[in-house]
Amino acid sequence: MKILSGPPAAPSAIELAHTIHKLTDRSVGQVHANCRDGHRVACQSGCTYCCTYPVAASAPEVLAIASFVRERFNEERRAALVARVDANIAATQGMDMGQRDRIRLDCPFLEAGTCSVYEVRPVACRGVSSYSVDDCREDSEHPGAGVEIHTNGLRELVFGAIREGLAIACKSSSADHRLLELVRAYKIASEDPKLSETWRSRPKAFETANGASVFPGPWSDELEQEFEEVYRKTAVPVGAVDPPSGEVRQPAG
């Protein structure tokens, strides 16, 4: 919220994304340092089983990826990425989450089995882990079958809480707080170099990367309702007017 406290035109998106990424990495590290459950994370470079799931990301994270690509990729790599992004969007047009889960397309950001934007990958990618390569392989070979992948539940709770905190901060600053479908949102951000500076004053900028027109989720009506309940308890300051009811909140007790 401190980062977002400046004027809407302030280039806060990239700073916010980097701050959230550092917090996630530090928190996940603390989980594993203190959670001695006898298991070791099996994830390692070159393993891409989880890089076929649809990914939900926040607007600042998407904007950070778009900025990273502009700065680090040459023209040839950018053109190849554009082709993979367009192919992914075409192949998933009109699919719901269940259908998308079953086809398991490679993430467009994969290059020769490696994440090309690993440094700025979203919180969702940073938080997911597995204790068993065999579980991941079986899930990949039988998509949609409900294969259980053994993981560290506390790690997932932590990254989920961080992502929810980011959404609360964005909503409190009148910025787009919803989770977006990564590939479609990236296409929007990649085609508008100024969006990282104007996104806070353009709540509809990522509209085509969200909602049932993309695929049910990543920000459903049910999730919105749950989020509103958390937001009302967390972010509306005492003495402020509560927008949904028009009532003034009073101190507890």
Side-chain angles (χ1 to χ4, degrees):
M1 292 179 73
K2 182 179 180 181
I3 293 172
L4 291 169
S5 62
S12 56
I14 311 303
E15 180 186 359
L16 184 57
H18 289 168
T19 299
I20 291 299
H21 292 160
K22 291 178 182 177
L23 174 61
T24 303
D25 292 345
R26 184 171 69 248
S27 300
V28 166
Q30 291 172 341
V31 166
H32 289 290
N34 293 281
C35 184
R36 299 176 178 86
D37 57 4
H39 297 287
R40 296 183 62 182
V41 173
C43 306
Q44 58 183 322
S45 179
C47 182
T48 60
Y49 287 121
C50 67
C51 300
T52 59
Y53 292 107
V55 174
S58 65
E61 292 177 298
V62 172
L63 292 165
I65 292 173
S67 176
F68 181 89
V69 170
R70 290 190 191 98
E71 294 174 1
R72 304 289 186 89
F73 284 32
N74 59 29
E75 185 175 348
E76 183 180 358
R77 288 183 73 194
R78 285 197 299 270
L81 176 58
V82 167
R84 293 195 299 271
V85 165
D86 288 344
N88 183 284
I89 292 174
T92 59
Q93 197 67 37
M95 289 186 176
D96 62 25
M97 283 290 280
Q99 293 170 320
R100 177 69 189 275
D101 180 60
R102 288 190 289 273
I103 63 170
R104 297 291 174 86
L105 298 176
D106 280 350
C107 175
F109 295 106
L110 281 179
E111 287 184 347
T114 300
C115 179
S116 62
V117 294
Y118 188 81
E119 186 177 326
V120 289
R121 67 196 187 283
V123 168
C125 301
R126 293 168 188 268
V128 170
S129 65
S130 171
Y131 283 151
S132 171
V133 175
D134 290 338
D135 287 348
C136 297
R137 183 183 300 110
E138 184 179 356
D139 178 63
S140 178
E141 293 174 352
H142 303 90
V147 175
E148 182 179 358
I149 297 176
H150 294 84
T151 186
N152 186 302
L154 182 57
R155 175 173 173 155
E156 296 192 1
L157 285 173
V158 166
F159 95 76
I162 290 172
R163 195 158 66 172
E164 189 171 70
L166 173 61
I168 289 172
C170 287
K171 185 175 175 64
S172 298
S173 303
S174 300
D176 195 343
H177 64 283
R178 303 168 300 173
L179 291 174
L180 309 168
E181 196 275 321
L182 174 61
V183 179
R184 287 168 172 77
Y186 169 77
K187 181 175 177 62
I188 295 169
S190 68
E191 294 174 348
D192 186 350
K194 297 294 185 181
L195 189 54
S196 62
E197 300 174 13
T198 61
W199 70 286
R200 290 174 57 189
S201 59
R202 296 169 58 188
K204 301 296 185 181
F206 288 104
E207 200 64 26
T208 57
N210 184 268
S213 62
V214 178
F215 53 77
W219 195 268
S220 63
D221 291 340
E222 182 180 355
L223 181 59
E224 177 70 31
Q225 183 176 355
E226 293 176 0
F227 174 77
E228 285 294 334
E229 293 177 2
V230 174
Y231 178 78
R232 287 165 62 90
K233 296 175 182 177
T234 307
V236 182
V238 170
V241 175
D242 188 342
S245 64
E247 298 176 356
V248 176
R249 297 192 66 178
Q250 300 298 331

